[in-house]
Amino acid sequence: MSMLRVNGDRLWSTLMELGAIGGTPGGGCRRLALSEEDGRARDLFRRWAEEAGCTVTVDGIGNIFARREGTERAAAPVVIGSHLDTVPTGGKFDGAYGVMAGLEALRCLRDRGLETRLPIELVAWTNEEGARFSPMTMGSSVFTGDMTLDFALSRQDPSGLSVGEALKRIGYAGETPVGGRPFTAYLEVHVEQGPLLKEGGERIGVVTGSFKARYFVATVKGQAAHVGPTLMEQRHDAMVGAAALTLEIDRIGRSRGRDGRSNAPYLELDPNVRGVIPQEVRLSCDVRHPDAGEALAMETELREACRRIAAERGVSIALDQYFEFGPINCDGAMCALIRDTAKGLGFSQRDILTVASHDAVPMMDYCPSALFFVPSDTGISHSEREYSTPEQCQDGADVLLNAVLKLAS
Amino acid sequence: MSMLRVNGDRLWSTLMELGAIGGTPGGGCRRLALSEEDGRARDLFRRWAEEAGCTVTVDGIGNIFARREGTERAAAPVVIGSHLDTVPTGGKFDGAYGVMAGLEALRCLRDRGLETRLPIELVAWTNEEGARFSPMTMGSSVFTGDMTLDFALSRQDPSGLSVGEALKRIGYAGETPVGGRPFTAYLEVHVEQGPLLKEGGERIGVVTGSFKARYFVATVKGQAAHVGPTLMEQRHDAMVGAAALTLEIDRIGRSRGRDGRSNAPYLELDPNVRGVIPQEVRLSCDVRHPDAGEALAMETELREACRRIAAERGVSIALDQYFEFGPINCDGAMCALIRDTAKGLGFSQRDILTVASHDAVPMMDYCPSALFFVPSDTGISHSEREYSTPEQCQDGADVLLNAVLKLAS
């Protein structure tokens, strides 16, 4: 079968036009889930999808589906997906690239008048990042039944606004039921968020599995007191305990070399004012490793660190898991499809593990799913410096188009 | 001269009634400056002051003056003052006690039909704590000219609401010009915020001076990046830098034994979300010592720590001073007045330094001023556990009443 090529220039200009919504002076993008910017990006995506001949529907958690009919209208669709939301310090590629690569594939099919047997759908999932509303991969997880709709709609941002209310404000509280219908297959292309493909010079990374990751909230409790007259020896400073734990978490990840990851990026202080020793700090943290046993060993070290630091610093620390993912093992046939397609296009490739969750992760148990990466040219994401070249972006869309055609034919 | 005694029961019940505004289940008080609760506390104080025969005026920064005329109406008043606002985890005594002790003194004068030569004023200063709107001692500092009115009115809380707007909302954007008129003397009684009087068993602490305190913002800059795929070796985590600095600041204070204080209680993270390594953390911190030279040595250690941690953790750290106070030397004659009054009442006493600023600190350079403490029965403040007994509260009001009478006669 001969291979098709997407229009790389069109893909790039579309991606840049989308990235201007929430665009930052340094070349990044700030488009928090269900913000006014997210609403404008959704409106633009919807218009583009309709112009590409798709029928657009929105479900109860705000997932947007753009459907291109197949000759077998009753058949389960082949679905392409990713997300339009970003973290506060986001780039123009994470998430948006996957949706725009899917749009470019649909535009190519229309350009060429190609019919497929199966319907093809392109979905922009709601709130993959979990930056404004926790937890992450919200739209896809509600779709697959891993999260209830009521729970998701009730989640609040730091100002107390709920997901349900935020959806209404931007006009994306849709009426289509969430989930409950089969997919033939799911495909997601994403920019790599680390440096491995760039280091190795491969053009495509086939995700065969994931790190094991566990997420915790460490609740450090001390005693509120005046920052001035309270003797140092009589203090129970929750932030000092949290600071010691932050350093220990960083050390645990570093001690595993290039395979370890550990983070403590999100803090809530009570109170957080200049005149009072904080009485409580809630520290969101995680440990990740490709080997599940080693991830467990990291967790054990973390629990020991909590006990030791609590004793040393005169505070209490409770560690509660709130999320986990992996290790996932990706569908072998779907991995082979991506490998074969990339090979047919003449693209170098390697197998790779994902360190972070993606919408494809909840999809893995829902239908045969593939996740694959194109290189990050800077090796960094969730940053204004996030960047993939027009050629790197085209490569992934080429693989996506041809893989979808094989599945839908 | 024979000594008068206040009505201790009335003082206590008044203090408890005031403390119910913003009262917390654990016995504390949350009454942030210019909040709805602060507004209600101000309304109650105003009514009580008018019932005690005073004329109440409000100035442009919201300071409330309750004036009791003297026989020489044109003479500069003797002024009693403190504040009604609290920190988020406040108690019922810090600030409120000083204002209510002053009210009790005015009520006693009225009960006994005592006239004074000089007018007596009781002032509730705006925003002493600086917990919602930084900086602290705002109302008194604008009054003395140490801070401009425009600067104070433009300060914003974390939601972006300005002091000027907040004053209007609670009806305390007054029309009286701020400052510009002489005081004969200023007196402030406050609960001690540490354990020293309780430890020593003294009933009155005469503040003869203060610690030297310097306040800084440490701006730690790293690089935003995804918490998952970013290799540990490639990270520049601003929060890890801030955590290392927090521990070092704690160590610097502890290394000075009972004389040292150091704090890093207030953090702003950019961003503060679960998926991104923070690119910038602004850490508000301070060092304090009774010996100004030793305070400077602590600052030097802090600056060295910033340089060392920046190099070790791959971040940059800038340390900018934003506030300082002390060492102040209190007016000798005013200290002697408090000592003599306490002695006349038969109260044990000691000289003491204040570690924290108070409204009396800016007043020290404005007119002859006295600051004195009654014991904290728990040795702790800015906490629900903040507590002084009814007897301890009466002691301070007794000293205040008799000292004011001496000054105003």
Side-chain angles (χ1 to χ4, degrees), chain A residues 21-22 30-43 132 166 169-170:
Chain A
I21 302 175
R30 178 188 171 91
R31 196 164 60 223
L32 297 177
L34 311 185
S35 63
E36 181 267 338
E37 290 82 9
D38 188 19
R40 281 195 285 140
R42 287 163 170 262
D43 293 346
R132 179 181 178 196
R169 288 194 185 181
I170 62 166

Side-chain angles (χ1 to χ4, degrees), chain A residues 24 27 57 83 86 88 105 110-111 115 158 163 181 204 234 239 260 293 319 328 363 386 390 397 399 403:
Chain A
T24 57
T57 57
H83 61 96
T86 78
R110 184 179 171 87
D111 291 346
E115 285 206 327
V163 166
R181 61 193 180 95
I204 295 291
Q234 294 181 353
M239 187 57 221
L319 194 71
I328 58 168
M363 296 310 297
E386 182 180 289
V399 173

Side-chain angles (χ1 to χ4, degrees), chain A residues 193 223 225-229 232-233 235 254 258 261 263 266-267 272 274-275 322 380-382 385, chain B residues 193 223 225-228 232-233 235 254 258 261 263 266-267 272 274-276 322 380-382 385:
Chain A
Q193 300 180 288
Q223 187 175 86
H226 196 296
V227 293
M232 300 303 289
E233 68 195 40
R235 295 181 176 212
R254 288 177 188 273
R258 287 170 70 94
R261 302 288 191 286
N263 303 282
Y266 178 65
L267 286 93
N272 188 21
R274 291 181 178 81
Y322 74 90
I380 193 169
S381 78
H382 286 192
R385 293 182 57 219
Chain B
Q193 300 180 290
Q223 186 176 86
H226 196 296
V227 293
M232 300 303 290
E233 69 195 37
R235 295 181 176 212
R254 287 176 189 273
R258 287 170 69 94
R261 302 288 192 287
N263 304 282
Y266 177 65
L267 286 92
N272 188 21
R274 291 181 178 82
V276 188
Y322 73 90
I380 193 168
S381 78
H382 286 191
R385 293 182 56 220

Side-chain angles (χ1 to χ4, degrees), chain A residues 3-187:
Chain A
M3 290 288 178
L4 303 179
R5 297 288 182 145
V6 302
N7 182 335
D9 290 342
R10 180 171 60 187
L11 169 59
W12 185 257
S13 65
T14 302
L15 191 55
M16 291 303 108
E17 187 175 342
L18 179 67
I21 302 175
T24 57
C29 189
R30 178 188 171 91
R31 196 164 60 223
L32 297 177
L34 311 185
S35 63
E36 181 267 338
E37 290 82 9
D38 188 19
R40 281 195 285 140
R42 287 163 170 262
D43 293 346
L44 184 59
F45 168 60
R46 176 180 219 153
R47 176 163 68 77
W48 280 338
E50 286 169 350
E51 288 169 0
C54 297
T55 305
V56 175
T57 57
V58 181
D59 73 13
I61 190 62
N63 297 320
I64 308 171
F65 293 88
R67 180 179 172 100
R68 183 177 195 272
E69 280 305 339
T71 53
E72 291 185 14
R73 298 175 69 96
V78 174
V79 180
I80 306 163
S82 196
H83 61 96
L84 299 175
D85 65 308
T86 78
V87 296
T89 57
K92 292 183 164 73
F93 299 85
D94 179 346
Y97 166 63
V99 182
M100 294 301 103
L103 177 67
E104 176 56 30
L106 293 175
R107 285 172 168 173
C108 287
L109 296 179
R110 184 179 171 87
D111 291 346
R112 294 163 196 258
L114 288 174
E115 285 206 327
T116 56
R117 185 175 64 83
L118 303 181
I120 298 170
E121 293 189 21
L122 170 59
V123 53
W125 300 111
T126 291
N127 184 30
E128 191 265 359
E129 294 291 1
R132 179 181 178 196
F133 300 99
S134 180
M136 64 190 87
T137 61
M138 185 177 277
S140 49
S141 296
V142 175
F143 189 91
T144 59
D146 291 314
M147 193 187 301
T148 68
L149 179 60
D150 285 349
F151 175 79
L153 291 175
S154 70
R155 303 297 292 172
Q156 296 179 349
D157 73 3
S159 81
L161 188 76
S162 70
V163 166
E165 186 55 38
L167 279 168
K168 284 180 197 153
R169 288 194 185 181
I170 62 166
Y172 280 86
E175 300 193 346
T176 307
V178 188
R181 61 193 180 95
F183 289 173
T184 294
Y186 176 79
L187 295 99

